[in-house]
Amino acid sequence: MDDGAPSPFPAESPGLNPAPILPLASLRATDLPVAGGKGANLGELIAAGLPVPPGFVVTTEAYRAHAVAAGLDPAAAAEEPAAARATLEAAPLAPALTHEIRAALAELGPVGTRVAVRSSATAEDLPGAAFAGQQDTFLDVEGPDALADAVRRCWASLWTDRAVQYRERQGISPADVAIAVVVQRMAEADAAGVLFTANPLTGRRAELVVDAAPGLGEAVVSGQVTPEHLVLDREGAVGEWTPAHDGGARVLPDRAARELAELAVRAEKHFGVPQDIEWALADGRIVLLQARPMTALPLEPPVLNRFQQMMTPFFLEMFVSRPYPIDVTAWLRPGVERMLGIMMGSVGVRFPPLGQLVRERDGVALQLVPAQPRPSPLVLGAPLAILRRARRYPVRDWTTDPQFAEFEAIVDALDAQDPATLGWADLLARVDRCTDAMEPLARIRAAYLPGAFLPFAPLRLGLALLGLTRLAPPLVAGARTRTRAGNDALDALADAVRADPELSLAARELDAPAFLDAVRSRPEFEEFDHRLDAYLAEYGHRESLSIVLATAPTWRDDPTPVAAIIQAAASEPPRERGPNPGDAAMRELLAHPFLRSPRAARMARAVVDAARRGLAFREDTHFFITRVLPPLRATFLELGRRLTAVGALPAAEDVFHLRLEELREVRPPEAIDDVDRARVRALAARRAALRREYAGVPMLDLATVLPGRAGADDGGSALIRGTPASGGVAEGPVRIVRGPDEFGALRAGDVLVCPNTNPSWTPLFARAAAVVVDTGGLGSHAAIVAREYGVPAVMGTRRGTSVLREGQRVRVDGSRGRVDAA
């Protein structure tokens, strides 16, 4: 790189100090490009008057000069990180830099002064990307030669495999990152640890959560020890205390806890957002070693009334995944909300706007708050209106209603239209046509639902009087629905696979994508391919996740799940089609002495048939509503393709990160200018990063909003318990991994069980269903990264590797800190 070729590293912003060494006290947040996240944040803490050990930063300018002199190229380094590390460690420091490091070290204290050396990358400690433990730290470094070596090793740690993978997951280009090195006088710590200024599991801002251990704090953040765990209020009063594994006296006494809380609250106020703070107790006083924004912090949990608590499971079932901005603005509000408004308005109830159902930050849905419909004066007339509609609109007639024909005509026209042939304005109008299609079905539901619901009252009353209430579910289960017909059609496809030796062989030997490709491409499978297409045309519009998520691919968009279901069914003997449980229940009902007369039997059958029709109506109208999803999603993707073609988005699916009103404001792609192009691209990238940050945070945590139900210890006997470190529940077979030489044993979906972790283990989290660790606590690197990856984690179990057995199937509850037999 010394032959005059341009540097692969971006130049510093104008006005930034290019000096290779800067005092910590001189740094501010604006110095992040030269000091990295850690260095800039420490400078801010000092400026706020908070106690921080003195030190200096070896800036990114020094790193860049060293990397250029060593011949390192960022793109190549990302491809071969081991070679990049070796290159950086082997190259000697420039003599001028060595001199400046010696001088700066001398200013920290006399010969023999020990220092802590910490990496400070320009991409770390940012909102959404904590980079916890991705680069290296070296403690108790003594002397200029050892310090120079530690600096080189910190630089090299920018290219560890784990750091490269982490940046790739965060969408950070290799050319956009550099590294500084923070050097501080070592604090002679009697105790140390981490503090979160909000509860990282529940989001409660009134709670400060602390992990503390004797000695240096690195043992806590690296997960080498199981610390004591405290929950403080904002004044430092201890609300909860879990002792460390040795069961000794408190590591953090009351006075130190109050001082720590006071400093932490001041730091949070200074930065304006909740902080993840490393601290030490040295010579009886608290010092702060690091502060960074908390990542993946849930919103403050809502306070729900009794009705909202009752409705919570229903809404959680709908919101199985986080909706995109385009889901909320182009489907939920104009489509689903309109349908709910028509239906509930017909009985005098106002459904609140869906904007109150989903709490957002920068357009990204972060939290679900169950809605509370409000009655209007019209509700007083609802009983009479319901009875009148039940008589006027018999459920058996709903498919002959002209409004149903109107709905089918709209959706048929949408299916027949190729969005690629439309102009920009017509594409946006097509979104409206898709959501407008909901209105005829909404009116049908409002008209016919009374006739669907009312028959259940006499059925349940009659069964109660006969002492046969247990028959209600099987009796109603006898209804013929579109869902049941679709399942039967899948069975028929599996029968066809079994009957064809070559097709059956392909189903056994290939995975689902390859099997699907074979069906689509091999001439001998052409007949089955046509049958599969017919199935998808009839049933493939069903939602893959939820009806409220128009961005999720349906089976028609991605038939791979259908192929997998067919393969699984075809690998087993044909399903025994025994007697319909509804028929058996009906026979038992009619055998009752009170129903032996022909007249009583006819009445009983009539009531059951009416209830079955009501169930089928609700199920089948839902089935038809989902017909809107494929044309709507196709329209979204065509909008995205147009913006991708002109460089406004990196991929068509990135259009999901935009609101509908934002798309309406964008100029047509053929007329878009550079300003709009850059604005759209930056907006989508920012929301994508925020969505990644919260990927593992549930939209509503049952443990925090339904006390006494989910999350409460039921007193049962867990296999092992530990510290809840990353929320969620997952099941899988146990895979015990005791060291890096066993990393290859982990398979996707395994529950990783290990004695301890350090940052080099975090690439395993992308494959693990859950993580269970003998040591460690809430503030360890493993816990932080598990929360970012959305992997349930239980730390500090003490005996996980000895109690759990290889291959044993377990259920890990990261919200409650327990592991049970599955």
Side-chain angles (χ1 to χ4, degrees):
M1 290 292 180
D2 55 354
D3 58 356
S7 168
F9 297 93
E12 297 289 5
S13 302
L16 290 175
N17 191 335
I21 302 288
L22 291 173
L24 276 180
S26 70
L27 300 172
R28 297 296 182 268
T30 53
D31 293 309
L32 185 144
V34 294
K38 196 177 280 93
N41 288 350
L42 286 170
E44 286 288 338
L45 290 175
I46 294 171
L50 294 163
V52 173
F56 59 89
V57 169
V58 182
T59 66
T60 56
E61 174 69 16
Y63 164 75
R64 287 189 172 94
H66 184 82
V68 169
L72 181 126
D73 177 76
E79 293 295 325
E80 296 187 38
R85 295 194 299 272
T87 296
L88 291 171
E89 289 191 38
L93 297 186
L97 179 61
T98 300
H99 174 76
E100 293 211 31
I101 287 177
R102 286 179 177 272
L105 180 61
E107 289 187 14
L108 284 185
V111 174
T113 296
R114 292 173 297 114
V115 294
V117 185
R118 294 184 171 92
S119 304
S120 180
T122 54
E124 73 178 31
D125 294 354
L126 301 175
F131 279 80
Q134 298 305 307
Q135 283 84 224
D136 287 344
T137 290
F138 303 96
L139 303 179
D140 280 323
V141 175
E142 183 178 343
D145 293 337
L147 176 54
D149 181 61
V151 167
R152 281 197 302 269
R153 291 164 68 189
C154 281
W155 286 340
S157 72
L158 185 67
W159 302 104
T160 61
D161 293 351
R162 64 180 183 269
V164 170
Q165 291 173 16
Y166 188 95
R167 289 195 296 271
E168 182 178 356
R169 179 177 180 268
Q170 295 289 337
I172 297 171
S173 168
D176 292 342
V177 69
I179 191 168
V181 179
V182 173
V183 181
Q184 287 177 284
R185 186 189 300 160
M186 278 292 298
E188 300 293 339
D190 300 313
V194 296
L195 176 146
F196 300 99
T197 62
N199 192 311
L201 291 179
T202 68
R204 297 191 190 282
R205 270 52 171 182
E207 297 177 348
L208 308 181
V209 179
V210 182
D211 279 352
L216 300 177
E218 188 63 19
V220 174
V221 298
S222 65
Q224 297 173 12
V225 300
T226 300
E228 78 170 3
H229 180 75
L230 304 99
V231 178
L232 314 177
D233 65 18
R234 306 285 284 187
E235 285 71 43
V238 178
E240 299 177 24
W241 175 56
T242 303
H245 64 84
D246 57 13
R250 279 261 301 277
V251 173
L252 189 69
D254 286 339
R255 183 198 58 76
R258 288 192 296 272
E259 181 184 1
L260 176 59
E262 188 265 333
L263 295 175
V265 169
R266 284 174 57 191
E268 181 188 79
K269 185 176 294 186
H270 177 78
F271 287 108
V273 293
Q275 295 290 299
D276 168 359
I277 295 170
E278 292 183 25
W279 56 271
L281 178 62
D283 296 325
R285 305 296 298 175
I286 297 289
V287 292
L288 306 185
L289 306 177
Q290 182 177 333
R292 59 188 172 210
M294 291 182 67
T295 55
L297 176 64
L299 298 185
E300 184 85 28
V303 178
L304 305 182
N305 60 34
R306 193 170 188 84
F307 179 83
Q308 289 173 301
Q309 291 180 5
M310 182 178 66
M311 295 300 295
T312 291
F314 166 75
F315 283 104
L316 285 177
E317 189 176 30
M318 292 177 64
F319 288 86
V320 294
S321 180
R322 195 178 309 280
Y324 283 91
I326 205 168
D327 281 315
V328 175
T329 57
W331 175 237
L332 280 174
R333 289 175 182 165
V336 178
E337 182 178 307
R338 186 193 311 183
M339 169 170 274
L340 290 172
I342 291 172
M343 291 168 54
M344 302 192 76
S346 71
V347 291
V349 175
R350 296 191 183 98
F351 194 85
L354 286 176
Q356 299 175 19
L357 181 69
V358 177
R359 290 181 178 172
E360 299 179 341
R361 179 184 299 163
D362 191 21
V364 177
L366 296 187
Q367 189 177 73
L368 175 67
V369 181
Q372 185 173 1
R374 303 287 184 183
S376 74
L378 296 176
V379 78
L380 297 175
L384 288 176
I386 288 172
L387 291 172
R388 187 164 52 247
R389 286 201 299 273
R391 287 196 301 268
R392 183 177 177 183
Y393 300 104
V395 172
R396 65 169 61 88
D397 297 338
W398 79 269
T399 54
T400 63
D401 191 301
Q403 294 178 109
F404 182 61
E406 178 188 353
F407 167 80
E408 292 226 289
I410 296 172
V411 179
D412 286 344
L414 288 167
D415 280 338
Q417 186 180 56
D418 182 1
T421 64
L422 301 178
W424 184 256
D426 290 334
L427 278 173
L428 292 170
R430 181 178 152 98
V431 173
D432 296 332
R433 289 175 60 204
C434 289
T435 53
D436 288 345
M438 295 282 281
E439 188 163 329
L441 269 184
R443 293 196 299 264
I444 285 176
R445 277 201 149 193
Y448 290 88
L449 267 179
F453 276 114
L454 289 181
F456 284 86
L459 174 64
R460 293 189 177 278
L461 177 61
L463 291 175
L465 292 174
L466 297 175
L468 296 175
T469 53
R470 59 182 173 78
L471 293 182
L475 281 171
V476 178
R480 291 294 302 178
T481 65
R482 298 292 292 170
T483 299
R484 184 173 170 183
N487 292 339
D488 290 345
L490 273 177
D491 284 343
L493 289 172
D495 290 340
V497 171
R498 292 190 200 92
D500 184 326
E502 290 191 47
L503 195 56
S504 179
L505 179 65
R508 289 195 304 273
E509 292 188 345
L510 302 175
D511 62 16
F515 174 64
L516 184 62
D517 182 64
V519 167
R520 297 299 197 203
S521 60
R522 289 170 58 173
E524 63 269 32
F525 298 156
E526 183 177 3
E527 181 182 351
F528 183 80
D529 186 28
H530 290 326
R531 291 187 61 177
L532 179 59
D533 281 340
Y535 173 86
L536 294 173
E538 183 74 13
Y539 302 104
H541 58 268
R542 293 304 301 257
E543 70 273 30
S544 58
L545 292 178
S546 168
I547 195 172
V548 303
L549 303 172
T551 52
T554 63
W555 283 359
R556 192 182 300 169
D557 298 317
D558 179 12
T560 307
V562 177
I565 293 170
I566 294 171
Q567 288 177 279
S571 68
E572 301 173 350
R575 180 164 59 91
E576 290 291 334
R577 292 177 173 85
N580 188 313
D583 295 339
M586 179 66 82
R587 286 194 297 272
E588 183 177 352
L589 173 64
L590 297 180
H592 194 281
F594 288 178
L595 301 179
R596 287 177 181 169
S597 72
R599 183 170 181 274
R602 282 196 304 272
M603 292 178 61
R605 286 184 183 277
V607 170
V608 171
D609 287 346
R612 288 178 175 178
R613 284 193 297 271
L615 177 69
F617 169 78
R618 296 198 302 274
E619 173 58 35
D620 289 351
T621 50
H622 180 106
F623 172 87
F624 284 106
I625 288 168
T626 61
R627 283 198 63 192
V628 178
L629 296 178
L632 181 58
R633 185 174 187 271
T635 311
F636 293 162
L637 290 174
E638 184 59 31
L639 289 164
R641 278 189 282 270
R642 304 283 177 91
L643 292 174
T644 301
V646 297
L649 291 175
E653 288 78 5
D654 287 302
V655 77
F656 298 162
H657 296 296
L658 304 178
R659 297 173 181 266
L660 180 60
E661 56 266 30
E662 291 164 347
L663 285 168
R664 295 192 196 280
E665 293 170 0
V666 173
R667 292 188 180 96
E670 61 271 16
I672 197 170
D673 59 19
D674 288 342
V675 174
D676 262 2
R677 186 181 292 111
R679 178 179 60 81
V680 170
R681 193 178 183 97
L683 179 61
R686 188 172 73 241
R687 287 181 179 159
L690 185 58
R691 186 178 176 89
R692 282 195 303 270
E693 177 184 351
Y694 279 85
V697 179
M699 290 194 68
L700 192 62
D701 184 359
L702 287 176
T704 64
V705 298
L706 298 181
R709 290 186 59 185
D713 195 337
D714 57 9
S717 177
L719 294 174
I720 53 171
R721 297 176 185 273
T723 299
S726 181
V729 178
E731 292 186 6
V734 167
R735 183 71 60 190
I736 299 176
V737 178
R738 299 185 183 277
D741 57 332
E742 299 177 1
F743 279 7
L746 188 75
R747 297 289 180 264
D750 286 349
V751 172
L752 172 62
V753 180
C754 51
N756 51 61
T757 62
N758 59 53
S760 69
W761 292 67
T762 55
L764 300 185
F765 290 20
R767 304 208 309 268
V771 178
V772 179
V773 189
D774 288 352
T775 61
L778 189 66
S780 67
H781 293 312
I784 292 171
V785 176
R787 290 194 291 272
E788 290 186 6
Y789 273 65
V791 178
V794 180
M795 312 293 292
T797 63
R798 309 176 194 172
R799 303 178 300 125
T801 52
S802 58
V803 172
L804 302 179
R805 304 186 310 277
E806 189 80 8
Q808 177 184 11
R809 192 164 185 85
V810 297
R811 182 174 187 267
V812 180
D813 189 333
S815 300
R816 299 200 292 171
R818 59 182 288 152
V819 180
D820 297 279

